[in-house]
Amino acid sequence: MATILEVSSICLLSWPLLAVAENTEKITPECLQALILGIVQGITEFLPISSTAHLLIVTKIFAWKELGSKDFVDAIQFGSVIAILLYFWQLISSILKGGIATLKDRDWEREEWKIIVGIAVGTMPALIFGFLLKDILPENALIIAIMSVVMALLLGLAERIGTRKRGLDSLQIRDGILVGLGQTLALIPGVSRSGSTLTTALFLGLERDTAARFSFLLGFPTLTIATLYKSLKIFKLFQEQQLPDNIVFLLIVGIMSTFIFSYLSIAFLIRYLQTKNTFVFVWYRLAFGSVILLAIAAGWQG
C-alpha cells in the first residue's frame, strides 16, 4: 500500500514535467539546466553527500552562471520541502496532534511534545548562524573537497562506535539540541545537512533509519525557512527585471524535478538504512573529495 501511495503521489505531482516533454518547443538549454539541477538537488539533498557540493561542482564544470546562481538552486529546494511533507505526512500530523493534546492535557512528558521541542530548539542554531554567516562562508571546490573527506571520516567513526539501540520513541530534547548543533556544520559547503545530522544522531546511539527520519524532521523547518527566504529574493529580482522572462517556468521545472527525485531519495535512504550501514556513503564521499583534490592539484581552478 505504501509503495502504491508513493508512486501515485509522484505521478500526480509530476504532470508539469510531462507537459514540458509534450511541448518540445519549450525545451531550451535553460530548461534542461533547470531539469538537471533539480535532479542533482533532489538526489543529493537527503543522501549524506552534500547537495551544495554537487550543485556547485556541476555548475562550475558546465559553466552555468545564471541558473547556477545560489538564489535559483536554493529556490528549487521547495521541491525537497514538498517531498518531506508528503513522505512524512502521517508522522508529522501524528506529532502535531500529540503536541496539541499536550497543550490541552498539560502532559509535558508525551513523546510527541519532546520531539516538537527538540526540533524547535535544534532548529535555532542553524537559523541564527545561517543568518549571521550567510555572506561570509566561501563556496569553493577546495573547501568542498576537504569537508567531504572530513565528514566521511566522521560518518565512518559514528557508524563504528554508535550503539544504534534507540528508536524514535526514545528521543529527548537533548537529542534535538545536539543534532541541531550538528546541523550548523552544514553551513560549510561540502558538509551536508543530512550528513551532519545523520552523523550526530548515530553518535547519540540512534538506529540508522531512526537517525535518518529524525534528520529529515529536524532539517524540515530550516530547509523551509531558507527556501522561502530565497524564493522571496528571486521574486524581488524578477520584479526588478533582473531575471529571464521565463524564470517562472524554469522554477516550476526545477522544483518539480527536485520534488520527484527528493521523494525517491528519501524513500531509498529510509529503506536502505533499515538493513544496511552507511559505509557506501563514506566511501563515496572519500572518492568525491579525493577526485576534486586531484583535479585542483592538476590545475583546475574550481
Side-chain angles (χ1 to χ4, degrees):
M1 177 62 74
T3 303
I4 294 174
L5 290 175
E6 289 172 11
V7 173
S8 61
S9 297
I10 293 174
C11 292
L12 178 63
L13 292 170
S14 63
W15 65 267
L17 291 184
L18 297 177
V20 171
E22 291 175 357
N23 294 275
T24 55
E25 69 274 7
K26 292 185 177 181
I27 303 181
T28 62
E30 291 79 12
C31 181
L32 288 175
Q33 289 179 27
L35 179 66
I36 293 170
L37 289 173
I39 292 173
V40 174
Q41 162 64 26
I43 292 175
T44 59
E45 176 63 39
F46 299 112
L47 299 184
I49 56 177
S50 179
S51 60
T52 300
H54 286 77
L55 286 165
L56 186 65
I57 296 301
V58 167
T59 53
K60 282 184 175 292
I61 289 175
F62 294 106
W64 293 345
K65 295 182 179 179
E66 195 165 62
L67 294 190
S69 71
K70 187 168 178 58
D71 291 331
F72 182 84
V73 297
D74 283 353
I76 64 174
Q77 286 180 343
F78 188 60
S80 296
V81 172
I82 299 172
I84 295 179
L85 188 61
L86 286 182
Y87 190 90
F88 291 106
W89 175 249
Q90 289 187 335
L91 179 58
I92 291 173
S93 60
S94 174
I95 291 173
L96 291 177
K97 288 177 183 177
I100 293 172
T102 296
L103 295 175
K104 289 181 179 179
D105 303 334
R106 307 281 182 178
D107 180 11
W108 311 114
E109 295 302 315
R110 291 181 69 105
E111 296 172 7
E112 296 90 347
W113 180 250
K114 292 179 181 178
I115 293 175
I116 289 173
V117 175
I119 291 174
V121 174
T123 299
M124 295 308 296
L127 292 179
I128 293 171
F129 285 105
F131 177 78
L132 295 175
L133 304 176
K134 65 180 186 299
D135 299 320
I136 298 176
L137 293 173
E139 290 189 350
N140 61 61
L142 179 59
I143 292 177
I144 284 174
I146 292 173
M147 295 312 302
S148 182
V149 172
V150 169
M151 290 306 298
L153 297 176
L154 287 176
L155 180 57
L157 181 62
E159 182 67 50
R160 284 294 188 190
I161 69 175
T163 58
R164 300 186 296 279
K165 293 180 179 180
R166 300 175 57 204
L168 202 61
D169 57 349
S170 71
L171 288 175
Q172 301 292 325
I173 295 175
R174 173 183 66 95
D175 297 313
I177 296 172
L178 294 176
V179 178
L181 289 173
Q183 184 177 219
T184 61
L185 294 175
L187 296 170
I188 305 172
V191 169
S192 166
R193 182 185 291 108
S194 173
S196 59
T197 51
L198 179 63
T199 299
T200 306
L202 288 175
F203 272 124
L204 292 173
L206 271 65
E207 297 170 347
R208 295 188 186 99
D209 64 318
T210 298
R213 290 174 190 274
F214 189 50
S215 167
F216 296 150
L217 291 174
L218 184 65
F220 179 69
T222 304
L223 185 62
T224 302
I225 294 170
T227 302
L228 289 174
Y229 174 77
K230 289 298 181 180
S231 298
L232 290 173
K233 192 172 181 180
I234 283 278
F235 181 71
K236 183 178 180 181
L237 291 173
F238 179 71
Q239 283 187 317
E240 296 172 353
Q241 297 183 334
Q242 297 183 33
L243 296 173
D245 293 336
N246 63 341
I247 189 63
V248 175
F249 176 76
L250 296 176
L251 281 170
I252 291 174
V253 173
I255 288 171
M256 294 311 304
S257 175
T258 298
F259 160 71
I260 293 170
F261 286 91
S262 291
Y263 198 99
L264 294 173
S265 179
I266 293 171
F268 163 76
L269 186 63
I270 293 295
R271 292 179 182 177
Y272 181 86
L273 293 181
Q274 288 175 352
T275 57
K276 296 179 175 62
N277 60 42
T278 61
F279 277 107
V280 64
F281 304 111
V282 172
W283 294 117
Y284 176 84
R285 293 193 66 127
L286 285 173
F288 182 71
S290 298
V291 168
I292 296 174
L293 288 174
L294 289 173
I296 292 173
W300 184 52
Q301 297 300 315

